[in-house]
Amino acid sequence: MREEMDKNEDLVHDIQVQKVKDARGTPENTQRRYVNAWSIVLWHFCALVAVCFWLLRLLGVVDITAI
């Protein structure tokens, strides 16, 4: 039967530090995704318009059958 040893935490840390040092300004653990601020503002504006339209329908100001 073959048994595997646990990972040596010191060795794993040293390897990770060496990878970051070898990357020379572009390490692998960078930000994964950049979301533009305007897309978030647009999404919130659309949500606000939808809620306002829903409230107008609820109050009877806008009739859905007329559209």
Side-chain angles (χ1 to χ4, degrees):
M1 180 185 295
R2 181 177 163 197
E3 294 183 22
E4 293 186 15
M5 296 176 62
D6 292 337
K7 291 182 178 179
N8 185 350
E9 296 297 326
D10 294 331
L11 183 62
V12 171
H13 180 264
D14 291 342
I15 291 172
Q16 289 176 345
V17 167
Q18 192 61 36
K19 282 183 181 179
V20 171
K21 288 181 180 178
D22 290 341
R24 297 186 185 205
T26 57
E28 293 178 15
N29 56 348
T30 57
Q31 184 178 1
R32 291 180 184 240
R33 180 182 289 181
Y34 174 75
V35 179
N36 193 355
W38 286 108
S39 62
I40 296 173
V41 170
L42 180 64
W43 190 89
H44 280 98
F45 180 72
C46 290
L48 178 66
V49 169
V51 168
C52 289
F53 185 70
W54 172 78
L55 182 62
L56 289 174
R57 283 183 47 208
L58 186 65
L59 295 175
V61 176
V62 176
D63 188 15
I64 189 113
T65 57
I67 295 177

Short mmCIF file of all heavy atoms in Angstrom, two decimals:
data_model
loop_
_atom_site.label_atom_id
_atom_site.label_comp_id
_atom_site.label_asym_id
_atom_site.label_seq_id
_atom_site.Cartn_x
_atom_site.Cartn_y
_atom_site.Cartn_z
N MET A 1 0.85 -1.17 0.00
CA MET A 1 0.00 0.00 0.00
C MET A 1 0.90 1.25 0.00
O MET A 1 1.89 1.30 0.70
CB MET A 1 -0.89 -0.01 1.25
CG MET A 1 -1.78 1.17 1.31
SD MET A 1 -2.75 1.26 2.83
CE MET A 1 -3.77 -0.16 2.71
N ARG A 2 0.51 2.22 -0.77
CA ARG A 2 1.30 3.44 -0.90
C ARG A 2 0.61 4.57 -0.14
O ARG A 2 -0.57 4.83 -0.32
CB ARG A 2 1.41 3.79 -2.38
CG ARG A 2 2.22 5.02 -2.63
CD ARG A 2 2.34 5.27 -4.13
NE ARG A 2 2.76 6.65 -4.31
CZ ARG A 2 2.67 7.29 -5.43
NH1 ARG A 2 2.18 6.70 -6.49
NH2 ARG A 2 3.08 8.53 -5.53
N GLU A 3 1.34 5.24 0.70
CA GLU A 3 0.80 6.36 1.46
C GLU A 3 1.47 7.64 1.00
O GLU A 3 2.67 7.67 0.75
CB GLU A 3 1.07 6.17 2.95
CG GLU A 3 0.32 4.99 3.54
CD GLU A 3 0.56 4.90 5.04
OE1 GLU A 3 0.92 5.92 5.65
OE2 GLU A 3 0.37 3.81 5.57
N GLU A 4 0.66 8.70 0.87
CA GLU A 4 1.20 9.98 0.46
C GLU A 4 1.43 10.85 1.68
O GLU A 4 0.63 10.86 2.61
CB GLU A 4 0.25 10.68 -0.50
CG GLU A 4 0.12 9.97 -1.83
CD GLU A 4 -0.72 10.77 -2.81
OE1 GLU A 4 -0.95 11.96 -2.55
OE2 GLU A 4 -1.14 10.18 -3.81
N MET A 5 2.51 11.58 1.63
CA MET A 5 2.82 12.48 2.74
C MET A 5 2.05 13.78 2.56
O MET A 5 1.71 14.18 1.45
CB MET A 5 4.32 12.75 2.78
CG MET A 5 5.15 11.53 3.06
SD MET A 5 6.91 11.89 3.00
CE MET A 5 7.08 13.06 4.30
N ASP A 6 1.79 14.45 3.67
CA ASP A 6 1.16 15.77 3.61
C ASP A 6 2.11 16.77 2.96
O ASP A 6 3.33 16.58 2.97
CB ASP A 6 0.80 16.26 5.01
CG ASP A 6 -0.30 15.42 5.64
OD1 ASP A 6 -1.05 14.78 4.88
OD2 ASP A 6 -0.40 15.42 6.88
N LYS A 7 1.53 17.82 2.40
CA LYS A 7 2.35 18.85 1.78
C LYS A 7 3.13 19.61 2.85
O LYS A 7 2.58 19.91 3.91
CB LYS A 7 1.49 19.83 1.00
CG LYS A 7 0.87 19.24 -0.23
CD LYS A 7 0.07 20.29 -0.97
CE LYS A 7 -0.52 19.72 -2.23
NZ LYS A 7 -1.32 20.72 -2.96
N ASN A 8 4.36 19.90 2.55
CA ASN A 8 5.19 20.69 3.45
C ASN A 8 4.80 22.16 3.24
O ASN A 8 5.04 22.74 2.18
CB ASN A 8 6.66 20.46 3.14
CG ASN A 8 7.57 21.16 4.11
OD1 ASN A 8 7.12 21.97 4.91
ND2 ASN A 8 8.85 20.85 4.03
N GLU A 9 4.19 22.77 4.25
CA GLU A 9 3.68 24.14 4.13
C GLU A 9 4.80 25.14 3.86
O GLU A 9 4.62 26.11 3.13
CB GLU A 9 2.90 24.53 5.39
CG GLU A 9 1.64 23.71 5.61
CD GLU A 9 0.63 23.89 4.50
OE1 GLU A 9 0.53 25.00 3.94
OE2 GLU A 9 -0.07 22.91 4.20
N ASP A 10 5.95 24.91 4.46
CA ASP A 10 7.08 25.83 4.22
C ASP A 10 7.53 25.77 2.77
O ASP A 10 7.82 26.79 2.14
CB ASP A 10 8.26 25.49 5.15
CG ASP A 10 7.92 25.74 6.60
OD1 ASP A 10 7.08 26.64 6.86
OD2 ASP A 10 8.48 25.06 7.47
N LEU A 11 7.57 24.57 2.22
CA LEU A 11 7.99 24.41 0.83
C LEU A 11 6.97 25.03 -0.12
O LEU A 11 7.34 25.70 -1.09
CB LEU A 11 8.19 22.93 0.51
CG LEU A 11 8.69 22.60 -0.89
CD1 LEU A 11 10.06 23.22 -1.11
CD2 LEU A 11 8.74 21.11 -1.09
N VAL A 12 5.68 24.82 0.15
CA VAL A 12 4.62 25.41 -0.68
C VAL A 12 4.71 26.94 -0.64
O VAL A 12 4.60 27.61 -1.67
CB VAL A 12 3.23 24.93 -0.23
CG1 VAL A 12 2.13 25.69 -0.93
CG2 VAL A 12 3.08 23.44 -0.47
N HIS A 13 4.94 27.51 0.54
CA HIS A 13 5.06 28.97 0.67
C HIS A 13 6.26 29.48 -0.12
O HIS A 13 6.16 30.50 -0.82
CB HIS A 13 5.18 29.35 2.14
CG HIS A 13 5.31 30.81 2.37
ND1 HIS A 13 6.52 31.42 2.53
CD2 HIS A 13 4.38 31.80 2.42
CE1 HIS A 13 6.34 32.72 2.69
NE2 HIS A 13 5.05 32.97 2.64
N ASP A 14 7.38 28.79 0.00
CA ASP A 14 8.58 29.21 -0.73
C ASP A 14 8.36 29.16 -2.25
O ASP A 14 8.80 30.05 -2.98
CB ASP A 14 9.78 28.34 -0.35
CG ASP A 14 10.22 28.59 1.08
OD1 ASP A 14 9.84 29.64 1.64
OD2 ASP A 14 10.93 27.72 1.64
N ILE A 15 7.69 28.13 -2.73
CA ILE A 15 7.42 28.01 -4.17
C ILE A 15 6.51 29.14 -4.64
O ILE A 15 6.72 29.75 -5.69
CB ILE A 15 6.81 26.63 -4.49
CG1 ILE A 15 7.87 25.54 -4.29
CG2 ILE A 15 6.26 26.59 -5.91
CD1 ILE A 15 7.32 24.13 -4.40
N GLN A 16 5.47 29.47 -3.84
CA GLN A 16 4.55 30.54 -4.22
C GLN A 16 5.26 31.90 -4.22
O GLN A 16 5.04 32.71 -5.13
CB GLN A 16 3.36 30.57 -3.27
CG GLN A 16 2.42 29.41 -3.45
CD GLN A 16 1.30 29.39 -2.44
OE1 GLN A 16 1.36 30.09 -1.42
NE2 GLN A 16 0.29 28.59 -2.70
N VAL A 17 6.12 32.13 -3.24
CA VAL A 17 6.86 33.39 -3.19
C VAL A 17 7.79 33.49 -4.39
O VAL A 17 7.92 34.54 -5.03
CB VAL A 17 7.65 33.51 -1.86
CG1 VAL A 17 8.66 34.63 -1.91
CG2 VAL A 17 6.69 33.70 -0.71
N GLN A 18 8.44 32.39 -4.75
CA GLN A 18 9.35 32.39 -5.90
C GLN A 18 8.59 32.65 -7.20
O GLN A 18 9.08 33.36 -8.08
CB GLN A 18 10.11 31.06 -5.98
CG GLN A 18 11.25 31.09 -6.95
CD GLN A 18 12.31 32.12 -6.57
OE1 GLN A 18 12.58 32.34 -5.39
NE2 GLN A 18 12.87 32.78 -7.55
N LYS A 19 7.38 32.11 -7.34
CA LYS A 19 6.57 32.36 -8.55
C LYS A 19 6.22 33.84 -8.68
O LYS A 19 6.27 34.40 -9.77
CB LYS A 19 5.29 31.53 -8.51
CG LYS A 19 5.47 30.09 -8.86
CD LYS A 19 4.12 29.37 -8.86
CE LYS A 19 4.27 27.91 -9.18
NZ LYS A 19 2.97 27.21 -9.15
N VAL A 20 5.88 34.48 -7.55
CA VAL A 20 5.54 35.90 -7.58
C VAL A 20 6.77 36.73 -7.93
O VAL A 20 6.70 37.68 -8.71
CB VAL A 20 4.93 36.35 -6.24
CG1 VAL A 20 4.78 37.85 -6.18
CG2 VAL A 20 3.58 35.68 -6.02
N LYS A 21 7.92 36.37 -7.39
CA LYS A 21 9.15 37.10 -7.69
C LYS A 21 9.57 36.93 -9.15
O LYS A 21 10.10 37.85 -9.77
CB LYS A 21 10.27 36.65 -6.77
CG LYS A 21 10.12 37.12 -5.35
CD LYS A 21 11.27 36.66 -4.49
CE LYS A 21 11.14 37.12 -3.07
NZ LYS A 21 12.24 36.61 -2.22
N ASP A 22 9.37 35.75 -9.70
CA ASP A 22 9.76 35.48 -11.09
C ASP A 22 8.83 36.14 -12.10
O ASP A 22 9.17 36.26 -13.27
CB ASP A 22 9.82 33.98 -11.35
CG ASP A 22 10.99 33.32 -10.63
OD1 ASP A 22 11.92 34.05 -10.25
OD2 ASP A 22 10.95 32.08 -10.46
N ALA A 23 7.65 36.56 -11.68
CA ALA A 23 6.67 37.11 -12.61
C ALA A 23 7.10 38.49 -13.11
O ALA A 23 6.65 38.92 -14.16
CB ALA A 23 5.30 37.20 -11.95
N ARG A 24 7.94 39.20 -12.38
CA ARG A 24 8.48 40.50 -12.79
C ARG A 24 7.41 41.53 -13.14
O ARG A 24 7.28 41.95 -14.28
CB ARG A 24 9.44 40.35 -13.95
CG ARG A 24 10.62 39.52 -13.58
CD ARG A 24 11.62 39.51 -14.66
NE ARG A 24 12.69 38.59 -14.29
CZ ARG A 24 13.91 38.67 -14.74
NH1 ARG A 24 14.22 39.58 -15.59
NH2 ARG A 24 14.81 37.81 -14.35
N GLY A 25 6.63 41.90 -12.18
CA GLY A 25 5.65 42.96 -12.38
C GLY A 25 4.29 42.48 -12.81
O GLY A 25 3.33 43.22 -12.75
N THR A 26 4.16 41.26 -13.25
CA THR A 26 2.85 40.73 -13.64
C THR A 26 2.62 39.40 -12.94
O THR A 26 2.65 38.34 -13.55
CB THR A 26 2.75 40.53 -15.16
OG1 THR A 26 3.83 39.66 -15.56
CG2 THR A 26 2.83 41.84 -15.90
N PRO A 27 2.39 39.43 -11.62
CA PRO A 27 2.16 38.17 -10.92
C PRO A 27 0.85 37.52 -11.35
O PRO A 27 -0.05 38.18 -11.88
CB PRO A 27 2.11 38.58 -9.45
CG PRO A 27 1.79 40.02 -9.47
CD PRO A 27 2.35 40.58 -10.75
N GLU A 28 0.76 36.23 -11.15
CA GLU A 28 -0.42 35.49 -11.59
C GLU A 28 -1.65 35.78 -10.75
O GLU A 28 -2.76 35.61 -11.22
CB GLU A 28 -0.12 34.00 -11.57
CG GLU A 28 0.93 33.59 -12.58
CD GLU A 28 1.24 32.12 -12.51
OE1 GLU A 28 0.46 31.38 -11.89
OE2 GLU A 28 2.27 31.72 -13.07
N ASN A 29 -1.46 36.17 -9.50
CA ASN A 29 -2.62 36.41 -8.65
C ASN A 29 -3.10 37.86 -8.78
O ASN A 29 -3.09 38.63 -7.85
CB ASN A 29 -2.30 36.07 -7.19
CG ASN A 29 -1.10 36.82 -6.68
OD1 ASN A 29 -0.39 37.43 -7.46
ND2 ASN A 29 -0.90 36.79 -5.38
N THR A 30 -3.53 38.22 -9.97
CA THR A 30 -4.03 39.57 -10.24
C THR A 30 -5.55 39.57 -10.14
O THR A 30 -6.19 38.53 -9.97
CB THR A 30 -3.62 40.04 -11.65
OG1 THR A 30 -4.10 39.11 -12.61
CG2 THR A 30 -2.11 40.15 -11.76
N GLN A 31 -6.12 40.73 -10.27
CA GLN A 31 -7.57 40.87 -10.23
C GLN A 31 -8.16 40.11 -11.41
O GLN A 31 -7.70 40.22 -12.54
CB GLN A 31 -7.93 42.35 -10.31
CG GLN A 31 -9.40 42.64 -10.20
CD GLN A 31 -9.68 44.13 -10.23
OE1 GLN A 31 -8.77 44.93 -10.36
NE2 GLN A 31 -10.92 44.50 -10.13
N ARG A 32 -9.22 39.36 -11.16
CA ARG A 32 -9.77 38.51 -12.21
C ARG A 32 -10.66 39.25 -13.19
O ARG A 32 -10.69 38.95 -14.36
CB ARG A 32 -10.58 37.38 -11.58
CG ARG A 32 -9.69 36.41 -10.85
CD ARG A 32 -10.49 35.32 -10.24
NE ARG A 32 -9.62 34.46 -9.48
CZ ARG A 32 -9.45 33.19 -9.72
NH1 ARG A 32 -10.10 32.62 -10.69
NH2 ARG A 32 -8.66 32.47 -8.97
N ARG A 33 -11.41 40.22 -12.72
CA ARG A 33 -12.34 40.90 -13.62
C ARG A 33 -12.46 42.35 -13.23
O ARG A 33 -12.55 42.69 -12.07
CB ARG A 33 -13.72 40.23 -13.54
CG ARG A 33 -14.73 40.90 -14.44
CD ARG A 33 -16.08 40.28 -14.32
NE ARG A 33 -16.05 38.97 -14.92
CZ ARG A 33 -17.09 38.17 -15.00
NH1 ARG A 33 -18.22 38.54 -14.49
NH2 ARG A 33 -17.00 37.00 -15.57
N TYR A 34 -12.47 43.20 -14.23
CA TYR A 34 -12.68 44.62 -14.01
C TYR A 34 -14.06 44.98 -14.56
O TYR A 34 -14.35 44.74 -15.73
CB TYR A 34 -11.61 45.44 -14.72
CG TYR A 34 -11.87 46.92 -14.63
CD1 TYR A 34 -11.65 47.62 -13.45
CD2 TYR A 34 -12.35 47.62 -15.72
CE1 TYR A 34 -11.90 48.96 -13.35
CE2 TYR A 34 -12.62 48.97 -15.63
CZ TYR A 34 -12.38 49.63 -14.45
OH TYR A 34 -12.65 50.96 -14.36
N VAL A 35 -14.90 45.52 -13.72
CA VAL A 35 -16.24 45.93 -14.13
C VAL A 35 -16.26 47.44 -14.22
O VAL A 35 -15.90 48.14 -13.26
CB VAL A 35 -17.30 45.44 -13.13
CG1 VAL A 35 -18.69 45.88 -13.55
CG2 VAL A 35 -17.25 43.93 -13.01
N ASN A 36 -16.67 47.95 -15.36
CA ASN A 36 -16.73 49.38 -15.57
C ASN A 36 -17.81 49.99 -14.68
O ASN A 36 -18.87 49.43 -14.49
CB ASN A 36 -17.04 49.65 -17.04
CG ASN A 36 -16.82 51.08 -17.40
OD1 ASN A 36 -16.52 51.91 -16.54
ND2 ASN A 36 -16.95 51.40 -18.67
N ALA A 37 -17.52 51.14 -14.13
CA ALA A 37 -18.46 51.80 -13.22
C ALA A 37 -19.75 52.19 -13.94
O ALA A 37 -20.84 52.15 -13.35
CB ALA A 37 -17.82 53.02 -12.58
N TRP A 38 -19.63 52.56 -15.22
CA TRP A 38 -20.83 52.98 -15.95
C TRP A 38 -21.81 51.82 -16.15
O TRP A 38 -23.02 52.04 -16.19
CB TRP A 38 -20.46 53.59 -17.29
CG TRP A 38 -19.89 54.96 -17.10
CD1 TRP A 38 -18.60 55.34 -17.24
CD2 TRP A 38 -20.61 56.13 -16.70
NE1 TRP A 38 -18.46 56.68 -16.96
CE2 TRP A 38 -19.68 57.19 -16.62
CE3 TRP A 38 -21.93 56.39 -16.40
CZ2 TRP A 38 -20.05 58.48 -16.25
CZ3 TRP A 38 -22.29 57.68 -16.02
CH2 TRP A 38 -21.36 58.70 -15.96
N SER A 39 -21.32 50.60 -16.26
CA SER A 39 -22.23 49.47 -16.41
C SER A 39 -23.03 49.25 -15.13
O SER A 39 -24.21 48.90 -15.17
CB SER A 39 -21.46 48.20 -16.78
OG SER A 39 -20.55 47.85 -15.75
N ILE A 40 -22.40 49.50 -13.98
CA ILE A 40 -23.12 49.38 -12.71
C ILE A 40 -24.15 50.49 -12.57
O ILE A 40 -25.29 50.26 -12.15
CB ILE A 40 -22.12 49.39 -11.54
CG1 ILE A 40 -21.22 48.17 -11.63
CG2 ILE A 40 -22.84 49.44 -10.20
CD1 ILE A 40 -20.09 48.15 -10.65
N VAL A 41 -23.78 51.70 -12.95
CA VAL A 41 -24.72 52.83 -12.90
C VAL A 41 -25.90 52.58 -13.82
O VAL A 41 -27.06 52.81 -13.46
CB VAL A 41 -24.01 54.15 -13.26
CG1 VAL A 41 -24.99 55.28 -13.44
CG2 VAL A 41 -22.97 54.50 -12.21
N LEU A 42 -25.63 52.09 -15.02
CA LEU A 42 -26.70 51.78 -15.97
C LEU A 42 -27.63 50.70 -15.44
O LEU A 42 -28.85 50.80 -15.56
CB LEU A 42 -26.11 51.36 -17.32
CG LEU A 42 -27.10 51.00 -18.41
CD1 LEU A 42 -27.93 52.22 -18.79
CD2 LEU A 42 -26.39 50.44 -19.63
N TRP A 43 -27.04 49.65 -14.83
CA TRP A 43 -27.86 48.57 -14.28
C TRP A 43 -28.77 49.10 -13.18
O TRP A 43 -29.96 48.77 -13.14
CB TRP A 43 -26.96 47.47 -13.74
CG TRP A 43 -27.71 46.25 -13.38
CD1 TRP A 43 -28.01 45.19 -14.17
CD2 TRP A 43 -28.31 45.95 -12.10
NE1 TRP A 43 -28.73 44.27 -13.47
CE2 TRP A 43 -28.93 44.71 -12.20
CE3 TRP A 43 -28.36 46.64 -10.89
CZ2 TRP A 43 -29.61 44.12 -11.13
CZ3 TRP A 43 -29.04 46.06 -9.82
CH2 TRP A 43 -29.64 44.82 -9.95
N HIS A 44 -28.24 49.94 -12.29
CA HIS A 44 -29.06 50.50 -11.21
C HIS A 44 -30.14 51.44 -11.76
O HIS A 44 -31.27 51.48 -11.24
CB HIS A 44 -28.19 51.25 -10.21
CG HIS A 44 -27.50 50.35 -9.24
ND1 HIS A 44 -26.21 49.96 -9.41
CD2 HIS A 44 -27.93 49.77 -8.10
CE1 HIS A 44 -25.87 49.17 -8.42
NE2 HIS A 44 -26.90 49.04 -7.62
N PHE A 45 -29.81 52.20 -12.79
CA PHE A 45 -30.81 53.09 -13.39
C PHE A 45 -31.95 52.28 -14.01
O PHE A 45 -33.12 52.63 -13.83
CB PHE A 45 -30.15 53.98 -14.45
CG PHE A 45 -31.11 54.91 -15.12
CD1 PHE A 45 -31.62 56.00 -14.45
CD2 PHE A 45 -31.51 54.68 -16.43
CE1 PHE A 45 -32.51 56.86 -15.06
CE2 PHE A 45 -32.41 55.52 -17.05
CZ PHE A 45 -32.92 56.62 -16.36
N CYS A 46 -31.62 51.21 -14.71
CA CYS A 46 -32.66 50.35 -15.29
C CYS A 46 -33.53 49.72 -14.20
O CYS A 46 -34.76 49.61 -14.36
CB CYS A 46 -32.04 49.27 -16.16
SG CYS A 46 -31.31 49.90 -17.67
N ALA A 47 -32.91 49.32 -13.11
CA ALA A 47 -33.68 48.75 -12.00
C ALA A 47 -34.61 49.80 -11.39
O ALA A 47 -35.76 49.51 -11.05
CB ALA A 47 -32.73 48.19 -10.94
N LEU A 48 -34.13 51.03 -11.27
CA LEU A 48 -34.96 52.11 -10.73
C LEU A 48 -36.15 52.40 -11.66
O LEU A 48 -37.28 52.58 -11.18
CB LEU A 48 -34.12 53.37 -10.55
CG LEU A 48 -34.86 54.60 -10.04
CD1 LEU A 48 -35.34 54.36 -8.62
CD2 LEU A 48 -33.95 55.82 -10.10
N VAL A 49 -35.91 52.43 -12.96
CA VAL A 49 -37.00 52.65 -13.91
C VAL A 49 -38.02 51.52 -13.83
O VAL A 49 -39.24 51.76 -13.85
CB VAL A 49 -36.44 52.80 -15.34
CG1 VAL A 49 -37.55 52.75 -16.38
CG2 VAL A 49 -35.65 54.08 -15.47
N ALA A 50 -37.55 50.29 -13.70
CA ALA A 50 -38.47 49.15 -13.60
C ALA A 50 -39.32 49.22 -12.33
O ALA A 50 -40.53 48.95 -12.37
CB ALA A 50 -37.67 47.84 -13.63
N VAL A 51 -38.71 49.60 -11.22
CA VAL A 51 -39.47 49.71 -9.97
C VAL A 51 -40.47 50.85 -10.06
O VAL A 51 -41.62 50.72 -9.61
CB VAL A 51 -38.50 49.90 -8.77
CG1 VAL A 51 -39.25 50.30 -7.52
CG2 VAL A 51 -37.72 48.62 -8.53
N CYS A 52 -40.09 51.96 -10.65
CA CYS A 52 -41.02 53.09 -10.82
C CYS A 52 -42.19 52.70 -11.72
O CYS A 52 -43.35 53.03 -11.42
CB CYS A 52 -40.30 54.31 -11.38
SG CYS A 52 -39.18 55.08 -10.21
N PHE A 53 -41.90 52.00 -12.81
CA PHE A 53 -42.97 51.56 -13.70
C PHE A 53 -43.90 50.57 -13.00
O PHE A 53 -45.12 50.64 -13.15
CB PHE A 53 -42.36 50.92 -14.96
CG PHE A 53 -43.37 50.54 -15.98
CD1 PHE A 53 -44.05 51.51 -16.70
CD2 PHE A 53 -43.66 49.22 -16.24
CE1 PHE A 53 -45.00 51.18 -17.65
CE2 PHE A 53 -44.61 48.86 -17.18
CZ PHE A 53 -45.28 49.85 -17.88
N TRP A 54 -43.31 49.66 -12.20
CA TRP A 54 -44.13 48.71 -11.45
C TRP A 54 -45.03 49.44 -10.46
O TRP A 54 -46.21 49.11 -10.31
CB TRP A 54 -43.22 47.72 -10.72
CG TRP A 54 -43.95 46.84 -9.78
CD1 TRP A 54 -44.69 45.74 -10.08
CD2 TRP A 54 -44.03 47.00 -8.36
NE1 TRP A 54 -45.21 45.21 -8.94
CE2 TRP A 54 -44.83 45.95 -7.87
CE3 TRP A 54 -43.50 47.93 -7.46
CZ2 TRP A 54 -45.11 45.81 -6.52
CZ3 TRP A 54 -43.78 47.78 -6.12
CH2 TRP A 54 -44.58 46.73 -5.66
N LEU A 55 -44.51 50.48 -9.78
CA LEU A 55 -45.29 51.24 -8.82
C LEU A 55 -46.42 52.00 -9.52
O LEU A 55 -47.56 52.04 -9.02
CB LEU A 55 -44.40 52.22 -8.05
CG LEU A 55 -45.08 53.06 -6.97
CD1 LEU A 55 -45.64 52.15 -5.89
CD2 LEU A 55 -44.10 54.05 -6.38
N LEU A 56 -46.15 52.56 -10.70
CA LEU A 56 -47.20 53.26 -11.44
C LEU A 56 -48.30 52.29 -11.88
O LEU A 56 -49.48 52.63 -11.86
CB LEU A 56 -46.60 53.98 -12.65
CG LEU A 56 -45.74 55.20 -12.32
CD1 LEU A 56 -45.08 55.73 -13.60
CD2 LEU A 56 -46.56 56.27 -11.64
N ARG A 57 -47.91 51.08 -12.26
CA ARG A 57 -48.91 50.06 -12.61
C ARG A 57 -49.71 49.67 -11.39
O ARG A 57 -50.93 49.47 -11.46
CB ARG A 57 -48.24 48.82 -13.19
CG ARG A 57 -47.80 49.01 -14.61
CD ARG A 57 -47.20 47.74 -15.19
NE ARG A 57 -48.02 46.58 -14.89
CZ ARG A 57 -47.55 45.34 -14.78
NH1 ARG A 57 -46.26 45.10 -14.92
NH2 ARG A 57 -48.36 44.34 -14.52
N LEU A 58 -49.05 49.55 -10.23
CA LEU A 58 -49.72 49.16 -9.00
C LEU A 58 -50.74 50.22 -8.56
O LEU A 58 -51.82 49.90 -8.08
CB LEU A 58 -48.69 48.95 -7.90
CG LEU A 58 -49.18 48.39 -6.56
CD1 LEU A 58 -49.69 46.98 -6.75
CD2 LEU A 58 -48.07 48.43 -5.54
N LEU A 59 -50.40 51.49 -8.77
CA LEU A 59 -51.29 52.58 -8.39
C LEU A 59 -52.38 52.83 -9.43
O LEU A 59 -53.28 53.63 -9.21
CB LEU A 59 -50.49 53.85 -8.15
CG LEU A 59 -49.53 53.81 -6.96
CD1 LEU A 59 -48.69 55.06 -6.91
CD2 LEU A 59 -50.29 53.61 -5.67
N GLY A 60 -52.28 52.20 -10.59
CA GLY A 60 -53.29 52.35 -11.61
C GLY A 60 -53.07 53.52 -12.54
O GLY A 60 -53.95 53.88 -13.31
N VAL A 61 -51.91 54.13 -12.50
CA VAL A 61 -51.61 55.27 -13.36
C VAL A 61 -51.34 54.79 -14.79
O VAL A 61 -51.78 55.41 -15.76
CB VAL A 61 -50.40 56.07 -12.82
CG1 VAL A 61 -50.02 57.20 -13.76
CG2 VAL A 61 -50.72 56.59 -11.42
N VAL A 62 -50.66 53.67 -14.92
CA VAL A 62 -50.32 53.10 -16.22
C VAL A 62 -51.11 51.82 -16.39
O VAL A 62 -51.11 50.96 -15.51
CB VAL A 62 -48.80 52.82 -16.33
CG1 VAL A 62 -48.48 52.15 -17.64
CG2 VAL A 62 -48.02 54.09 -16.16
N ASP A 63 -51.77 51.71 -17.52
CA ASP A 63 -52.56 50.50 -17.80
C ASP A 63 -51.76 49.61 -18.75
O ASP A 63 -51.36 50.05 -19.84
CB ASP A 63 -53.90 50.89 -18.44
CG ASP A 63 -54.82 49.71 -18.58
OD1 ASP A 63 -54.57 48.67 -17.94
OD2 ASP A 63 -55.81 49.82 -19.33
N ILE A 64 -51.55 48.36 -18.36
CA ILE A 64 -50.73 47.45 -19.16
C ILE A 64 -51.47 47.01 -20.42
O ILE A 64 -50.85 46.68 -21.42
CB ILE A 64 -50.27 46.26 -18.32
CG1 ILE A 64 -49.23 45.44 -19.09
CG2 ILE A 64 -51.39 45.32 -18.02
CD1 ILE A 64 -47.90 45.46 -18.52
N THR A 65 -52.78 47.02 -20.41
CA THR A 65 -53.54 46.58 -21.59
C THR A 65 -53.48 47.63 -22.70
O THR A 65 -53.72 47.31 -23.85
CB THR A 65 -55.00 46.29 -21.22
OG1 THR A 65 -55.58 47.45 -20.64
CG2 THR A 65 -55.07 45.13 -20.24
N ALA A 66 -53.17 48.87 -22.35
CA ALA A 66 -53.11 49.94 -23.36
C ALA A 66 -51.82 49.86 -24.16
O ALA A 66 -51.72 50.42 -25.23
CB ALA A 66 -53.23 51.30 -22.69
N ILE A 67 -50.83 49.16 -23.63
CA ILE A 67 -49.53 49.11 -24.33
C ILE A 67 -49.51 48.03 -25.36
O ILE A 67 -50.04 47.03 -25.37
CB ILE A 67 -48.40 48.88 -23.31
CG1 ILE A 67 -48.32 50.09 -22.38
CG2 ILE A 67 -47.07 48.66 -24.00
CD1 ILE A 67 -47.29 49.95 -21.28
#
